[in-house]
Amino acid sequence: MSTTTSKRPAARQGKASARPIPMYCSQPLQTARQFDSAVAAGRARAILASEKKWVNGTSIRYYCFKRGDAVPAAWQGSAADLAAVDKAFDAWAQLGIGIGFQRVDAAEDAAVRIGFSPQDGSWSYVGRDVLGIRDPLQRTMNFGWSLATAYGADTALHEIGHTLGLEHEHQNPHAGITWNREAVIAYFKGPPNNWDDAQIEWNILRKIPAGQVKGTTWDPDSVMEYSFDAGLIEAPAKYQAGVSPKGGLSYADKSWVVESYPGVRAPATLQLKVGLSQLLKLKAGETRNFEFVPTRTRTYQIATFGTSDTVLVLFEVTPEGNLQIGGNDDSGTDLNARVAIRLTRGRRYLVGVRLYYADAVMETSLMAW
Ligand SMILES: [Zn+2]
């Protein structure tokens, strides 16, 4: 039998690969954000570059659907599934980033809600887009196959990568990939993926704008990269034989997450005092946290000033992590980010600000009153 195989022409041998076609992550389709015509292109690009990222200091609470929940039985994970998910969150957390992860016991307490339906493939919403899925009985992430294999463990890291704000690496325009469109369509339309045209366009063929991807070069070893069989990529020529990421988090994956969410390297938290404005001194994409300890229990206004696009998030510091209690995103509008909220005397709060864009770096400030 092996003699017959070896006599096949090389091209046909590639197509008759022994490897079964794997199942791939299929992201939910989204509509592109539309900006008001008054928003200049450079400003829109700056907003899009970091709008999906979390504000540093966020503790992301996640919930895994399990037996007894009021969701379809197929979504419910086993104890082994839950342990695999915990392990993958922990692998990201171990990098010492400024984002915490906490598994909670009630779906309504979680921003990230995870199902395990084998009928729905594997996917996750990207970054802060998960906050748009508010129904506690809806998923922001699903695992469509076993997490118990090496491929499954990488899938868990990959979907959490999406939740942290990462996109697919093969859609990075810096990869310079020219696809063999017919081959790609035939491959993904077939079993076991059975995707339609829109899914193939969204997850494979579409290029993601340069400002929204991880780096300025392609990282074929990224956990956000798929493995591809021979014959799907036409250029670069080196990848005509396929792409095989080495597995796990790549060096560039790790440096992206540490730069996006600095942990131990973050500058010391600044103090916010009532009635005193603080200059943010942020460059586009950067975040800063301010500690606020109210001396009276009352409703406070916390807002940014200046011509800038910011996202402002208010956390209460609790023993379980930083609990998000308020927030406002003013990007793409002429308004400033502003939160009005009742705070309790003596408790510790953190005000996190991410600057998307500013006319002048030194002219945006933050005040509580
Ligand atoms: Zn994916």
Side-chain angles (χ1 to χ4, degrees), residues 77-326:
S78 66
D81 292 328
L82 271 60
V85 168
D86 287 345
K87 190 176 168 199
F89 272 107
D90 201 43
W92 282 104
Q94 289 294 320
L95 300 172
I97 57 177
I99 301 289
F101 305 109
Q102 190 194 353
R103 176 143 65 83
V104 293
D105 294 327
E108 48 272 27
D109 291 339
V112 171
R113 292 175 302 276
I114 303 168
F116 300 87
S117 169
Q119 285 108 54
D120 300 336
S122 293
W123 49 266
S124 163
Y125 285 88
V126 176
R128 293 171 67 243
D129 281 356
V130 306
L131 298 175
I133 317 298
R134 291 166 186 268
D135 182 344
L137 295 180
Q138 291 303 321
R139 295 163 292 179
T140 70
M141 185 188 292
N142 189 69
F143 292 109
W145 50 86
S146 168
L147 304 181
T149 63
Y151 185 67
D154 279 347
T155 301
L157 292 172
H158 175 108
E159 301 309 339
I160 295 168
H162 282 313
T163 294
L164 285 168
L166 283 168
E167 302 277 6
H168 285 148
E169 189 61 17
H170 52 269
Q171 295 178 264
N172 183 336
H174 302 297
I177 294 176
T178 305
W179 298 102
N180 179 333
R181 289 185 70 94
E182 290 79 63
V184 166
I185 290 166
Y187 184 92
F188 284 95
K189 271 200 174 166
N193 291 289
N194 305 311
W195 289 359
D196 60 25
D197 288 332
Q199 278 177 292
I200 296 167
E201 182 64 33
W202 187 258
N203 285 286
I204 310 287
L205 300 171
R206 175 180 66 108
K207 303 283 188 218
I208 291 167
Q212 292 160 50
V213 297
K214 196 174 70 177
T216 54
T217 54
W218 183 26
D219 175 21
D221 275 327
S222 172
V223 81
M224 306 312 292
E225 177 57 73
Y226 293 179
S227 63
F228 287 107
D229 283 350
L232 300 176
I233 293 175
E234 284 181 352
K238 183 180 166 190
Y239 296 100
Q240 287 170 355
V243 176
S244 304
K246 66 176 165 30
L249 301 176
S250 71
Y251 177 78
D253 291 334
K254 294 174 186 175
S255 37
W256 175 88
V257 78
V258 169
E259 275 160 30
S260 298
Y261 306 115
V264 288
R265 295 190 298 144
T269 303
L270 304 159
Q271 296 289 322
L272 192 62
K273 302 280 185 199
V274 174
L276 283 180
S277 74
Q278 292 264 6
L279 268 178
L280 288 171
K281 296 184 211 163
L282 291 173
K283 295 195 208 89
E286 289 183 339
T287 67
R288 186 144 298 154
N289 288 329
F290 294 84
E291 187 181 61
F292 183 53
V293 183
T295 51
R296 287 174 54 202
T297 298
R298 65 169 174 90
T299 299
Y300 289 86
Q301 314 281 331
I302 303 170
T304 58
F305 293 86
T307 314
S308 62
D309 290 309
T310 51
V311 57
L312 188 157
V313 179
L314 182 67
F315 306 106
E316 181 171 345
V317 180
T318 73
E320 292 79 41
N322 295 337
L323 173 62
Q324 183 169 334
I325 57 172

Side-chain angles (χ1 to χ4, degrees), residues 345-367:
R345 174 175 170 260
R347 289 197 188 158
R348 283 181 65 216
Y349 300 94
L350 275 185
V351 183
V353 183
R354 181 187 291 281
L355 185 80
Y356 293 124
Y357 173 84
D359 284 341
V361 171
M362 293 300 284
E363 289 177 7
T364 301
S365 57
L366 175 73
M367 191 162 87

